[in-house]
Amino acid sequence: MNPIQHLVVIGTGLIGGSVSLALKRAGVVKRVTGVGRSRENLVLAQQLGVVDSWTHDVAEAVSDADVVLLSVPMSAYESVFSSMADHLPARCVVTDAGSTKQSAVAAAKKFLPHPERFIAAHPIAGTEQSGAAAAFAELFDHRLCIITPEFDSDADALELVKQMWEQTGSSIEVMDASQHDEFLASVSHLPHLAAFALVNAVAKQATAEQDPFQFAAGGFRDFTRIASSSPEMWRDISLCNRAALLHQIELFQAELNGLRDALVAGDENRLFNEFSAARDARENWLAGHGEDL
Ligand code: NAP
């Protein structure tokens, strides 16, 4: 791809910072400006070479941008889009990394003068760490990036955004924003809710005399790793994908109810069959592509 002359990364945290580092590694970006609220994170981002310069001012930053990447919590989209709306150059292409896509597209349509030049994206990669210090160039290598164009998306903008995410090391999958939100509710958003709920359920049983965490081992740590994720980010994702997440919670509750019924009835066959089915499904997924993650 032709190098991006000026990339503006609004939200220079784990994801925004990693996109910048990955594009610098690929040699396809000339200059990166970081935008954020806290001075400390932006100074660190510049010291670490994540961005070349920074500002708190969205309007100033985007005024000569070729590409703008939003990598802020979902609740910040409307205010960030509204701050940039009157200052985006006509040529500028906007993309994002947010975890819910229908809400991202809706915010772009509400605030941007040319929403057809906003191409929504979601890299399926991350860690439970936050901020510029957590960013690294390899984060997207061999990972998927889902792109969710609208029927009226600008063809050139779509092509540029595909190429940009490919240059981060990702493979591209294109789908509808609604399909994305349903899939991600099942394999990402529900697991985060379940991890938060499980840790809280255990924590609420702790007393001065007895602390169940003392006896937790590797299994508990693996299952709950994602409960260390940013509460702000996950509050926003949950609310932005509320309908799909509520649907997935119902399906999960039905599974738990089935296991509870089997326990109440002492139904050893049902328990064995449910556990076997889950193990087989997980092994199949691992043999397919989960092993590389
Ligand atoms: P992060 O490390 O916390 O970075 C978010 C950045 O946004 C921070 O540097 C924060 O800096 C800045 N920010 C917050 N509100 C802002 C505002 N109103 N204006 C400007 N900057 C603002 O979070 P992240 O993990 O990179 O997540 C960023 C986005 O990527 C989210 O939408 C998330 O859903 C999505 N995502 C995350 C993952 C993951 O695993 N972490 C994976 C895929 C996609 P200040 O607080 O200093 O402003």
Side-chain angles (χ1 to χ4, degrees):
M1 73 181 285
N2 289 329
I4 299 167
Q5 297 298 320
H6 184 203
L7 171 69
V8 173
V9 176
I10 303 178
T12 42
L14 167 71
I15 300 294
S18 297
V19 170
S20 176
L21 289 174
L23 294 178
K24 282 171 177 257
R25 177 188 66 173
V28 294
V29 65
K30 296 273 193 220
R31 179 162 65 97
V32 181
T33 300
V35 183
R37 296 168 305 184
S38 85
R39 187 176 192 281
E40 198 188 352
N41 184 59
L42 291 166
V43 167
L44 185 64
Q46 190 172 15
Q47 279 168 357
L48 294 171
V50 171
V51 297
D52 303 306
S53 58
W54 58 265
T55 171
H56 297 300
D57 188 337
V58 172
E60 174 199 318
V62 303
S63 63
D64 74 337
D66 296 292
V67 176
V68 172
L69 168 70
L70 248 79
S71 44
V72 295
M74 300 308 307
S75 61
Y77 271 50
E78 292 206 348
S79 75
V80 170
F81 278 147
S82 110
S83 307
M84 71 171 73
D86 294 337
H87 306 276
L88 282 171
R91 67 173 187 281
C92 189
V93 170
V94 183
T95 185
D96 79 318
S99 304
T100 67
K101 298 287 47 138
Q102 291 173 103
S103 65
V105 170
K109 285 187 173 160
K110 192 166 165 193
F111 289 100
L112 295 185
H114 293 290
E116 72 280 4
R117 293 182 74 75
F118 170 67
I119 309 293
H122 178 205
I124 310 298
T127 74
E128 67 282 15
Q129 309 293 321
S130 303
F136 58 104
E138 299 78 21
L139 178 62
F140 309 107
D141 285 350
H142 316 299
R143 299 283 189 263
L144 276 183
C145 177
I146 300 176
I147 295 185
T148 62
E150 295 289 288
F151 73 93
D152 57 352
S153 290
D154 181 279
D156 293 338
L158 174 57
E159 189 51 35
L160 188 148
V161 167
K162 276 187 189 168
Q163 288 180 9
M164 185 191 103
W165 282 103
E166 265 168 10
Q167 291 295 329
T168 66
S170 309
S171 337
I172 306 302
E173 185 90 26
V174 175
M175 66 176 71
D176 280 352
S178 60
Q179 202 180 15
H180 165 280
D181 288 356
E182 196 65 54
F183 282 146
L184 270 291
S186 70
V187 294
S188 173
H189 308 167
L190 175 67
H192 278 80
L193 244 74
F196 288 129
L198 179 71
V199 173
N200 281 338
V202 173
K204 285 172 189 169
Q205 295 170 59
T207 62
E209 295 77 39
Q210 282 191 333
D211 179 7
F213 285 115
Q214 264 187 295
F215 307 103
F220 186 82
R221 192 179 56 194
D222 289 349
F223 188 92
T224 60
R225 177 180 64 80
I226 51 182
S228 295
S229 303
S230 157
E232 181 189 22
M233 187 170 100
W234 283 97
R235 174 202 61 197
D236 290 0
I237 292 171
S238 302
L239 289 173
C240 284
N241 203 18
R242 192 183 331 200
L245 188 49
L246 285 171
H247 179 228
Q248 293 300 326
I249 288 174
E250 273 174 28
L251 297 178
F252 187 52
Q253 273 173 336
E255 290 298 322
L256 279 179
N257 288 343
L259 293 178
R260 189 195 55 202
D261 292 348
L263 274 178
V264 169
D267 186 341
E268 58 185 50
N269 284 337
R270 181 162 182 193
L271 285 176
F272 180 83
N273 291 339
E274 294 290 344
F275 297 165
S276 298
R279 187 179 63 175
D280 290 350
R282 186 169 188 276
E283 294 295 322
N284 280 338
W285 166 65
L286 286 175
H289 48 266
E291 206 76 87
D292 308 329
L293 298 174

